[in-house]
Amino acid sequence: QVQLVESGGGLVQAGASLRLSCAASGNNFGLYHMGWYRQAPGKEREFVAGIDRDDFTDYADSVKGRFTISRDNYKNMMYLQMNSLKPDDTAVYYCSAGRGYFWGQGTQVTVSS
């Protein structure tokens, strides 16, 4: 069992930066593939970034070069550093463990133009 809680969302202007955090509770955090997904109004949930237990990372083309995913297994934390934010990044961002098996409650990111 893994419980996930996101934080760090907010309202920012285009070009700003935010860092999202995902705090995990439960056993074997370091063994899970972890990821960030987002869902904008009227759209389906989409993959943003992923990181496996060996710190190999993967990114959606829409965020590549702007977002960085990382994890700290000793603190049971995962992060998403978001730079050069665009209005199209506006969405609820969800933390996931186990390739979509576990989900957090989401945190709202709103980027104004």
Side-chain angles (χ1 to χ4, degrees), residues 31-45:
L31 300 179
Y32 283 101
H33 181 278
M34 300 292 295
W36 289 97
Y37 294 72
R38 67 187 183 187
Q39 187 167 22
K43 298 182 179 179
E44 294 185 350
R45 189 172 298 185

Side-chain angles (χ1 to χ4, degrees), residues 6-7 9-10 17 26 40 42-43 45-46 58 67 69 72 76 78 90 92 94-96 102 105 112:
E6 303 96 333
S7 63
S17 296
K43 298 182 179 179
R45 189 172 298 185
E46 65 176 350
D58 188 32
F67 291 10
I69 188 171
D72 186 336
N76 282 12
M78 182 181 65
T90 295
V92 177
Y94 296 92
C95 173
S96 175
F102 300 103
Q105 85 290 343
S112 63

Side-chain angles (χ1 to χ4, degrees), residues 3-99:
Q3 297 183 56
L4 306 169
V5 179
E6 303 96 333
S7 63
L11 173 62
V12 299
Q13 293 184 325
S17 296
L18 282 173
R19 189 181 75 162
L20 305 184
S21 298
C22 174
S25 61
N27 295 327
N28 302 315
F29 173 79
L31 300 179
Y32 283 101
H33 181 278
M34 300 292 295
W36 289 97
Y37 294 72
R38 67 187 183 187
Q39 187 167 22
K43 298 182 179 179
E44 294 185 350
R45 189 172 298 185
E46 65 176 350
F47 171 81
V48 176
I51 183 168
D52 70 11
R53 67 180 188 176
D54 297 314
D55 284 349
F56 287 97
T57 59
D58 188 32
Y59 298 91
D61 288 341
S62 59
V63 307
K64 196 171 299 181
R66 299 188 297 120
F67 291 10
T68 302
I69 188 171
S70 61
R71 66 193 296 168
D72 186 336
N73 294 335
Y74 287 104
K75 297 181 178 179
N76 282 12
M77 296 288 292
M78 182 181 65
Y79 308 96
L80 184 68
Q81 178 65 45
M82 305 186 294
N83 297 327
S84 302
L85 283 163
K86 305 174 181 179
D88 284 348
D89 295 319
T90 295
V92 177
Y93 283 71
Y94 296 92
C95 173
S96 175
R99 298 185 182 272

